[in-house]
Amino acid sequence: MSDESGKGLTREQWGSRLGFILAAAGSAIGLGNVWRFPYLVGENGGAVFVLVYLFITVLIGLPVMLAEFAIGRAAQRSPVAAFRALNVSPFWGAIGWLGTLAGGFFVLSYYNVIGGWTIRYMLESLGGLMETAATGQSKEFFGHFIGQRQQVLMFQIVFSGATMLFVLSGIGKGIERACKVMMPALFLILVVLIIRSLTLPGAEAGIEFYLKPDLSKLTRSTFLSALGQSFFSLSLGLGIMLTYGSYLGREERIPSATVWTASLDTLIALLSGFAIFPAMFAMGFEPGQGVGLTFITLPAVFAKMPAGQYFSFLFFLFLFFAAVTSSMSLMEVATTFAIEKFNLKRVNAVCLMGIIIFLLGGYSAISLAGDPKVAGMDFLDALDYLCNNVMLPVGSFLVCVFVGWFWLDPALKELTNNGKLETRWWLHVWVLCVRVLAPIAILFIFLNGTGLLETLDTWLRQ
Ligand code: PHE
């Protein structure tokens, strides 16, 4: 339950340390790992993207996550109120606002659309999906599905409704319990999928694509895409981990919880790649399919397994749950915002925000089916680009500057539980990352990836 009293004294806390890690991992692990990560790997030249992604996750993602948890636990508030509670310049409240807008509204709007796809695929697994996929037509199936506006909108409504229900039932009962069951189940089915994918004839080419970096594929946008994906996948830069940290008990160890969360998230992303790429090459699909990659490749793998339809059903069911545990963390931000700003009851806030978010998402869904386009992109792609390549990096940059330069001592106290935990070497590395390395890297990757650096350079040379 969120901090509706605003006083932060009687906040509900996570039932256990494991509960917290699984809930944070539940927010982190979602469509970002199974849908977004593989298609970005496919579009950005394979292994080289994976490599850049891993570097960025360790050197930038992890430090930002530590920082967000520290702010959250110290402030015991939702993102917008947190910075006020810490008695720092109101400017930093911008992090909360930016996160609320990007996460609570923009990301969630199109996340619901893709979440709806998982439901459709779950049902179709027991319907005609396997027969179609067995004849190599899963790409056509996908294209046909996203072209049917009413269908897509209907499934988007079902997914949004599920998210709203979970958010209404609160942190402990809803989120924590669901994550404890669904996350291990998703993991197991991924392992089965990987075994099938790796044993298909012709799988080697996919393994090579996924594991053997081809440096010539490295471009400016590889770094920006990897940076955005790292933040998206770890749920950073939106105040989500800040909010989750605010429900964390004073005696818990933030650093180990962070390492667990980030490792689980990265593991699931990497495993998804192993399930997808060997099969993709074995079946002659293109890596640069874009948003459809997972939905096109995996049904084809299931179709080649005994009892494939049941595996497929279970897989999309678990993916649906992984997606819901992420979308409810996003919805929680929008809800808390409406409660605090407009003094609404929780249930009214959920309904009002649900409708606004649905309308915005509906636009993404319709745009994928044909038009309207924004700057030549589908509206979904445009929103995704704006959030992940602009708003999340900006949010995370501000978190680093805030913690590194304006709030370092309290942050260190928070991370060592007021000096009770030993100060280890990694704490010095963290300070270096959060003060210098991460902000400079984010700024550089952002300016370079968006082409602003080049513009700046030409302008300075004139
Ligand atoms: N991390 C989630 C995923 O990988 C998505 C998400 C992003 C959730 C940002 C919350 C905040 O699917």
Side-chain angles (χ1 to χ4, degrees):
M1 195 71 55
S2 75
D3 177 20
E4 286 158 36
S5 67
K7 298 194 184 69
L9 296 175
T10 51
R11 282 175 87 73
E12 186 183 349
Q13 287 187 356
W14 301 103
S16 64
R17 185 180 129 83
L18 182 70
F20 168 70
I21 293 175
L22 286 181
S27 165
I29 299 169
L31 296 169
N33 310 59
V34 185
W35 160 69
R36 202 169 184 274
F37 177 74
Y39 97 69
L40 286 180
V41 173
E43 276 182 346
N44 288 284
V48 72
F49 180 86
V50 180
L51 206 65
V52 174
Y53 176 80
L54 290 176
F55 259 108
I56 288 182
T57 299
V58 174
L59 291 178
I60 305 177
L62 214 67
V64 173
M65 191 184 259
L66 271 171
E68 278 204 28
F69 280 149
I71 300 174
R73 192 172 66 175
Q76 303 271 303
R77 298 284 193 285
S78 62
V80 174
F83 294 89
R84 251 182 281 137
L86 296 179
N87 275 333
V88 291
S89 150
F91 167 79
W92 299 110
I95 301 175
W97 283 101
L98 191 79
T100 304
L101 186 68
F105 294 90
F106 293 173
V107 170
L108 183 55
S109 73
Y110 70 84
Y111 206 88
N112 282 338
V113 177
I114 318 288
W117 296 359
T118 62
I119 303 178
R120 167 78 201 255
Y121 268 69
M122 182 173 98
L123 299 178
E124 279 296 334
S125 301
L126 302 178
L129 178 62
M130 288 302 108
E131 286 91 73
T132 320
T135 56
Q137 306 273 303
S138 53
K139 187 170 178 195
E140 288 70 16
F141 184 94
F142 175 76
H144 180 67
F145 166 55
I146 63 166
Q148 293 171 303
R149 294 180 181 179
Q150 278 167 349
Q151 287 263 350
V152 178
L153 288 174
M154 197 177 85
F155 285 104
Q156 182 196 341
I157 293 182
V158 178
F159 185 85
S160 312
T163 307
M164 288 157 71
L165 277 181
F166 272 107
V167 173
L168 275 177
S169 54
I171 290 278
K173 276 184 245 117
I175 302 188
E176 203 168 331
R177 206 181 290 164
C179 293
K180 272 188 185 156
V181 185
M182 292 297 159
M183 290 297 134
L186 182 75
F187 176 81
L188 283 183
I189 209 155
L190 259 181
V191 173
V192 175
L193 262 179
I194 291 170
I195 297 175
R196 175 69 278 213
S197 180
L198 286 175
T199 48
L200 288 169
E204 306 76 35
I207 303 174
E208 189 164 314
F209 177 78
Y210 191 45
L211 292 185
K212 204 162 156 217
D214 174 357
L215 291 184
S216 69
K217 299 261 173 63
L218 209 57
T219 65
R220 284 196 316 209
S221 64
T222 313
F223 287 92
L224 185 58
S225 301
L227 183 78
Q229 172 60 16
S230 182
F231 292 147
F232 182 82
S233 192
L234 297 172
S235 304
L236 298 176
L238 299 174
I240 304 268
M241 290 306 175
L242 191 155
T243 310
Y244 274 32
S246 74
Y247 300 109
L248 194 58
R250 289 265 164 230
E251 67 298 337
E252 300 295 355
R253 295 164 183 233
I254 295 180
S256 69
T258 308
V259 171
W260 269 106
T261 308
S263 309
L264 286 174
D265 183 68
T266 309
L267 179 72
I268 298 284
L270 292 177
L271 289 183
S272 303
F274 275 112
I276 288 177
F277 290 105
M280 192 192 74
F281 276 81
M283 288 169 195
F285 292 126
E286 287 290 309
Q289 301 276 357
V291 295
L293 184 65
T294 300
F295 291 87
I296 293 168
T297 310
L298 290 187
V301 186
F302 287 122
K304 287 207 182 289
M305 286 164 60
Q309 71 269 40
Y310 301 113
F311 277 111
S312 179
F313 173 81
L314 285 178
F315 174 79
F316 286 110
L317 175 74
F318 298 152
L319 185 57
F320 161 75
F321 269 94
V324 165
T325 50
S326 300
S327 64
M328 55 201 188
S329 71
L330 291 163
M331 182 90 205
E332 178 70 23
V333 176
T335 306
T336 325
F337 168 78
I339 293 172
E340 284 172 1
K341 272 287 148 217
F342 309 119
N343 234 337
L344 293 180
K345 279 212 195 96
R346 175 162 269 260
V347 52
N348 295 339
V350 169
C351 292
L352 177 71
M353 293 297 113
I355 292 171
I356 298 176
I357 293 160
F358 171 74
L359 293 177
L360 195 61
Y363 204 69
S364 288
I366 290 172
S367 163
L368 268 189
D371 27 74
K373 305 270 181 239
V374 181
M377 281 192 255
D378 294 318
F379 187 63
L380 191 149
D381 286 334
L383 256 192
D384 184 83
Y385 186 91
L386 174 72
C387 293
N388 294 305
N389 293 3
V390 181
M391 296 174 90
L392 268 62
V394 171
S396 302
F397 172 80
L398 291 176
V399 165
C400 288
V401 174
F402 169 67
V403 171
W405 295 93
F406 296 90
W407 196 71
L408 192 58
D409 285 340
L412 286 172
K413 274 199 194 126
E414 209 51 58
L415 292 180
T416 55
N417 289 1
N418 248 330
K420 277 191 224 105
L421 304 179
E422 230 178 289
T423 308
R424 298 260 181 80
W425 59 269
W426 56 260
L427 210 55
H428 302 293
V429 179
W430 175 75
V431 172
L432 185 73
C433 284
V434 91
R435 287 193 92 156
V436 190
L437 205 97
I440 293 181
I442 297 174
L443 197 68
F444 179 76
I445 294 173
F446 175 69
L447 292 176
N448 190 32
T450 50
L452 285 172
L453 198 65
E454 212 176 23
T455 321
L456 205 70
D457 187 51
T458 0
W459 185 70
L460 285 177
R461 276 168 206 269
Q462 272 171 9

